[in-house]
Amino acid sequence: MHDKTVRLWWLDSVIELSELIQTIPKAPPLYLVGGAVRNAYMGGPVDEIDVAVDGDAIAVARYVTDALNADIYVMDRERKVARVFVKLGGGVTTIDFASFRGDTLEEDLRDRDFTMNAMAADLLGDPFALIDPLNGVSDLRKKILRRCSPHSIADDPIRVLRAVRLSAQFDLKIHPETVTDIRRHASDLSKASPERIRDEFFKLLGIEQAARGARVLARIGALEQVLPLGAAADDLSLPVAERMSSILRAISSKRTDNTAAAFDLGMLAIQLDRFRASLQEHLSQVYGNGRTHADLLKLAALLQHLGDTGSNGGRTSVAAKVRKIARSLRLTREEERRMAAAIGNCREILERKSWTPLDQHRFWHRLSECGIDAILLGASIQMAKQGGAIKQDEWLQFVERAISLLDVYFHHFDEIVSPAILLDGNDVQRLLNVGSGPLVGRVLSSLREAQVAGEVRSVAEARSFVLRHGTEC
C-alpha cells in the first residue's frame, strides 16, 4: 500500500499543518488525500487540501480552527464534513475535513473518482511517504485516466465532466472502460444539481485546454447536457472557443514565444500589447465561487452562434436565449448581462468596415467595458471563419478596426467615449423652457454626439444647437 520509491513534495504550509495535527491529543488517524497528494507528487501547486479522518472530522476541524485562530464552515453535519479557512505560509489555505467513506482508508480511496486522485499521505506519520493502493502513480506515469471502480461514474455523474477536465488538463488518455462509462452516464448529468454542474464546468473553462475539453464533451454527448439550446450544434462554436482560448493565453502573463507563432494570432497579440495590462485587469474580474471573466468569455465563445443576427429585435432574442442558459447554470445577473452584450454585439465589429468617431462613441457609450468582450469575441469568430486559409488583408483590416476601437476606450475615453457635456440639464430646461423629463435626456445625448462629431466646440455653439434641435429630439 505504501510506495516507498516515491517521496512527495509539500509546501511549508502543509508541513506546518502536519506539525499542528500531531499535537492533537489522542488524534484519530488523519490522511491527506485527493488532488493535493496528486499535485504534491507532480510538483504542482497545493491550494486546497482534503483530509480524510478515521473518526469525527468535524471535531478535528474545530480543534484545528481553535489552534490556528481560523474560520470554520460545517458543510454536512450528517456526513461529518467541515471546511476550515486557515492562514498558512503567508496565505489563506482551504482545508476540507471529512470522515472516512467506509471503514478503512483503502475503502475511502476506492470510493473516489479516479486513481490519480486516490492517493494519500499520513498526517500523523510520514507525510512525505505515498499511500497508493490503486496504483495512481503508475497510471500517471503512463498518462492514463482510470476510474477507481466500475461504479465510480454511476455513483456521481459530475465525474463525467471531471474526467474530461482532468484528461485535458494533464494530457491524459482516458482508459477505454472509463470512456465507456462516461459515455453511458453523460445523460445522467441532468440529475446533478445546477450548482455542481456550473462549478465543474467552470473548472474546465478555467484551464488552458478548455476548448479541447469542450470538444471532447461534445463528442461524448455531455455538452448538450450542460448547455441547453443546442450550444454545440453550430459548427463554428468549438473553433471559436479554441481561438478565444488562444487569444486569452496571448494576453495573459503566461504567454511564451511560441504562444502567438501563427500569423493571425501573432499580429493580434503584437497590436494588443499596448493594452495588455488593462486587458489582464479586465479579464481577471471574479464572480461568484471564483469564476473569472476570462472563463465567462470562453463560455460566450461556445454560445456565439446565439448572436447570429443583426437587428435590435435579434439582440432582444439573444438576451432571452442567454438568460435561459445563465439561469440554468445559476450564473449571476452580471454574468448574464455581460455575456449577452458580448454575443449580441460582436458581429458589429465584423460587419462595420468604417468607423467614424461618432460610431465609436455610440459603440462604447452603449456597451461600456462590455465592448472589450465584443471585440475579443469578434476576433475569435473572424479567426475561426478563416481557419487555416488566412486572408491577410482582411485580417489586418479587422485588427486595425479592433485596435482603433480599443485605443479610443483606453486612451481617448474623455474625448470620444464620455466627453464632458458643455451644458447640463438645468441649462437645457432654461433654454427650451421645459421641465425635467425624457426630452432633456435626449437633448443632452444629441449634444454629446454633436460634440464628438465636432459639430459643437463651445458653450455658445452648444446653446445654439439646443435651440435649433431641441424640439426635434
Side-chain angles (χ1 to χ4, degrees):
M1 191 165 175
H2 285 75
D3 189 335
K4 296 181 180 180
T5 65
V6 176
R7 300 295 287 174
L8 301 173
W9 181 87
W10 292 110
L11 294 174
D12 290 344
S13 57
V14 179
I15 304 304
E16 185 180 345
L17 174 65
S18 176
E19 292 172 349
L20 168 71
I21 290 291
Q22 294 184 34
T23 68
I24 300 178
K26 298 181 181 180
L30 300 162
Y31 299 91
L32 292 160
V33 293
V37 181
R38 175 198 70 217
N39 288 357
Y41 165 71
M42 300 179 72
V46 178
D47 301 319
E48 297 182 356
I49 298 173
D50 291 316
V51 176
V53 181
D54 185 8
D56 190 339
I58 294 178
V60 174
R62 292 194 187 282
Y63 181 90
V64 173
T65 299
D66 294 339
L68 291 180
N69 193 27
D71 295 311
I72 186 172
Y73 170 63
V74 177
M75 302 169 66
D76 190 329
R77 292 186 183 278
E78 183 178 344
R79 295 174 56 207
K80 296 191 180 302
V81 180
R83 175 167 291 175
V84 175
F85 303 93
V86 59
K87 292 181 179 179
L88 292 172
V92 176
T93 300
T94 301
I95 309 172
D96 285 350
F97 292 86
S99 297
F100 275 180
R101 312 173 185 188
D103 296 328
T104 66
L105 174 63
E106 183 167 344
E107 287 184 17
D108 179 275
L109 296 177
R110 289 188 181 279
D111 195 46
R112 294 180 180 271
D113 49 13
F114 307 104
T115 60
M116 66 183 294
N117 293 332
M119 301 184 290
D122 190 350
L123 269 173
L124 293 178
D126 180 3
F128 298 97
L130 178 68
I131 302 171
D132 186 18
L134 301 185
N135 299 312
V137 163
S138 176
D139 282 341
L140 279 174
R141 287 171 177 166
K142 295 174 184 176
K143 307 290 284 184
I144 292 174
L145 182 75
R146 187 194 311 264
R147 40 106 160 124
C148 287
S149 73
H151 54 80
S152 292
I153 309 301
D155 285 349
D156 186 359
I158 285 294
R159 291 170 175 173
V160 171
L161 298 180
R162 194 173 303 150
V164 173
R165 171 174 62 85
L166 292 172
S167 67
Q169 184 175 0
F170 296 103
D171 192 25
L172 306 176
K173 182 179 180 180
I174 304 177
H175 188 272
E177 292 177 349
T178 306
V179 171
T180 298
D181 285 354
I182 64 176
R183 285 184 182 277
R184 179 182 298 130
H185 295 289
S187 61
D188 291 341
L189 279 168
S190 59
K191 302 174 184 177
S193 73
E195 291 82 5
R196 292 191 70 212
I197 292 174
R198 174 200 63 203
D199 291 347
E200 192 61 51
F201 186 57
F202 267 84
K203 285 182 180 178
L204 170 62
L205 293 175
I207 66 174
E208 289 190 8
Q209 307 85 353
R212 191 174 107 193
R215 188 174 291 279
V216 174
L217 286 179
R219 194 178 302 135
I220 65 174
L223 190 59
E224 61 195 52
Q225 300 294 326
V226 177
L227 304 175
L229 299 174
D234 187 278
D235 291 338
L236 199 62
S237 293
L238 289 169
V240 171
E242 290 168 348
R243 300 313 190 277
M244 176 64 81
S245 292
S246 297
I247 291 173
L248 296 177
R249 188 160 52 249
I251 294 171
S252 77
S253 59
K254 298 180 180 179
R255 187 175 83 187
T256 67
D257 291 340
N258 295 324
T259 300
F263 169 80
D264 52 356
L265 182 58
M267 182 57 64
L268 181 64
I270 290 171
Q271 295 299 321
L272 287 176
D273 266 353
R274 72 193 77 172
F275 316 117
R276 196 171 173 196
S278 297
L279 289 171
Q280 287 178 1
E281 182 180 358
H282 173 77
L283 294 167
S284 66
Q285 297 174 74
V286 178
Y287 303 103
N289 214 19
R291 299 187 299 278
T292 69
H293 191 59
D295 300 338
L296 189 70
L297 281 184
K298 294 177 188 178
L299 176 56
L302 284 171
L303 301 172
Q304 57 78 33
H305 67 284
L306 300 182
D308 196 8
T309 180
S311 66
N312 289 333
R315 273 200 288 272
T316 301
S317 176
V318 169
K321 293 175 182 177
V322 170
R323 182 179 304 115
K324 181 177 181 180
I325 292 172
R327 293 185 179 178
S328 74
L329 290 174
R330 302 299 191 267
L331 302 183
T332 65
R333 291 293 178 89
E334 181 65 5
E335 287 170 293
E336 175 189 324
R337 181 186 72 84
R338 295 181 70 164
M339 192 160 57
I343 295 171
N345 293 277
C346 62
R347 281 167 178 76
E348 185 176 0
I349 294 89
L350 299 172
E351 297 165 0
R352 186 188 291 275
K353 306 302 181 184
S354 177
W355 290 73
T356 66
L358 184 55
D359 294 329
Q360 294 172 330
H361 164 78
R362 287 172 173 168
F363 176 83
W364 288 114
H365 193 71
R366 183 177 77 248
L367 295 178
S368 187
E369 64 179 339
C370 293
I372 300 172
D373 309 327
I375 291 170
L376 295 177
L377 184 54
S380 303
I381 294 171
Q382 181 74 8
M383 290 171 66
K385 283 183 174 179
Q386 292 191 114
I390 300 298
K391 299 176 182 177
Q392 292 193 11
D393 289 345
E394 185 177 328
W395 175 244
L396 291 175
Q397 289 170 12
F398 171 84
V399 171
E400 183 179 356
R401 295 196 302 272
I403 297 304
S404 177
L405 275 167
L406 289 170
D407 186 67
V408 163
Y409 186 76
F410 288 119
H411 297 155
H412 301 281
F413 191 91
D414 293 337
E415 304 163 46
I416 296 179
V417 179
S418 186
I421 306 178
L422 293 168
L423 301 178
D424 62 21
N426 292 328
D427 295 327
V428 172
Q429 290 180 53
R430 284 194 296 270
L431 286 168
L432 297 180
N433 194 26
V434 297
S436 61
L439 173 63
V440 175
R442 292 196 297 270
V443 171
L444 290 174
S445 179
S446 296
L447 177 58
R448 183 189 297 109
E449 292 191 351
Q451 289 180 215
V452 170
E455 299 170 5
V456 173
R457 295 181 174 84
S458 67
V459 172
E461 289 179 348
R463 288 172 178 157
S464 177
F465 177 89
V466 170
L467 289 170
R468 290 198 316 271
H469 300 285
T471 57
E472 300 172 4
C473 294

